[in-house]
Amino acid sequence: MPAEIRTVTDIHKIGQSDWDRCAGADNPFVSFAFLSAMEDSGSASADTGWQPFHLLVTDDDDAVAGIVPLYVKSHSYGEYVFDWSWAEAYERAGGRYYPKLQAAVPFSPVPGPRLLIRSDHPAPERIRKLLISGLCALPERLGIASLHVTFCSGDESRAMEDAGFLPRTGIQYHWYNRGYAGFDDFLGALNSRKRKNLRKERKQVRDAGYSFEVLSGDDLKATHWDRFYAFYHDTSDRKWGQAYLTREFFELLHERLRDRTVLVAAFRDGDMVAGALNLIGSDTLYGRNWGTIDRTPLLHFETCYYQAIDIAIERGLKTVEAGAQGEHKIQRGYEPVLTHSAHLIADEGLRNAVARFLEQERNHIAQDREFIMAEHSPFRQE
């Protein structure tokens, strides 16, 4: 069946029905609701260096069969898979690294599908190959140096490697629900020292006068979002120097994903002083953003990690993904898992240099993960 590959610069030109038939319902970060909130709020736009440039494949009847959420980037901020050194080396050698293309969820280090294929399509493998071939053609057609697909699935990374992409791995720390009846049941799986430490940390936060509310749907009010945005803005300014997301983004998120949005709000003396934003997938709780005006030790661990575990157990979710980085998560029951990305480098000299770097990096990451699991696991040894 003949097919057409093209790009669009506005998610609304594809539409929610066609987009979500490809994205599915498992991962909210690739949903039309989430990504359209990014665009409509001005958070992902040409002005912020995230110009939408989505790739789509249509069948001969103009039905959308596959999509890649794609952006033209004028910098490398908000990606969490760092290529600053590649850009610096290439430009020092006289090349022009930016603009580049990025298949990703803006500002979100959340693993998930990037080659979105209509679930009822009779030839999904053919559509995946067409999406990959479309990505491969873009750098030469547009005269750009590179195209990056970040936080994709392992299967997608391997398929793109077969087409000439360079694979890259990273490490995140995820918590797994092994049928726990409650937080104490989870603690029972830890060794005695770690179990005592987690109990002590949670008690210290409670004894300091903090209480917590898990807010979702109609329980989330504009006043909660106003407070959370102030926390988010303050934390972003201190850590990264820029708050990427606009206040309107959170308003649209609540409007479009209200029942899949969970805000853990921390209170002290009746005042909301911290918050952690989470989204719920089919079997996963995704930690999204955190912010606070309170610098009390351990408040971050309770609000972001322990409360998330409580929510996952209560709702029967299998996994908590608490964002990028953070080896301190290991001691709190989160386990190291590999993340995947794929990189298409047009310039042969840069490609060869990056390939050597990535091979060394993969070896280091594999060794680090093996060491972490062998030497630092908090779980009881059977």
Side-chain angles (χ1 to χ4, degrees), residues 7-25:
T7 57
V8 298
T9 58
D10 182 343
I11 195 171
H12 292 282
K13 292 181 179 178
I14 300 173
Q16 182 167 3
S17 177
D18 283 336
W19 187 285
D20 284 341
R21 286 179 71 190
C22 296

Side-chain angles (χ1 to χ4, degrees), residues 7 48 80 90 98 110 118 163 173 188 207 253 268 341 382:
T7 57
T48 63
Y80 299 90
Y90 191 54
Y98 302 105
V110 175
R118 203 176 77 215
Y173 300 91
D207 289 349
L253 183 71
R268 192 176 193 182
S341 61
E382 297 297 341

Side-chain angles (χ1 to χ4, degrees), residues 58-128:
T58 56
D59 288 331
D60 63 345
D61 59 356
D62 206 35
V64 176
I67 299 169
V68 178
L70 190 63
Y71 301 85
V72 179
K73 292 296 305 298
S74 58
H75 52 67
S76 292
Y77 293 105
E79 296 170 8
Y80 299 90
V81 176
F82 302 113
D83 62 348
W84 295 105
S85 60
W86 308 357
E88 182 182 357
Y90 191 54
E91 294 186 350
R92 195 167 55 239
R96 184 179 178 218
Y97 194 78
Y98 302 105
K100 64 177 183 176
L101 287 171
Q102 191 87 16
V105 177
F107 320 118
S108 304
V110 175
R114 298 295 179 260
L115 307 176
L116 313 181
I117 301 168
R118 203 176 77 215
S119 59
D120 63 347
H121 198 277
E125 187 58 32
R126 174 175 173 269
I127 300 303
R128 183 161 79 162

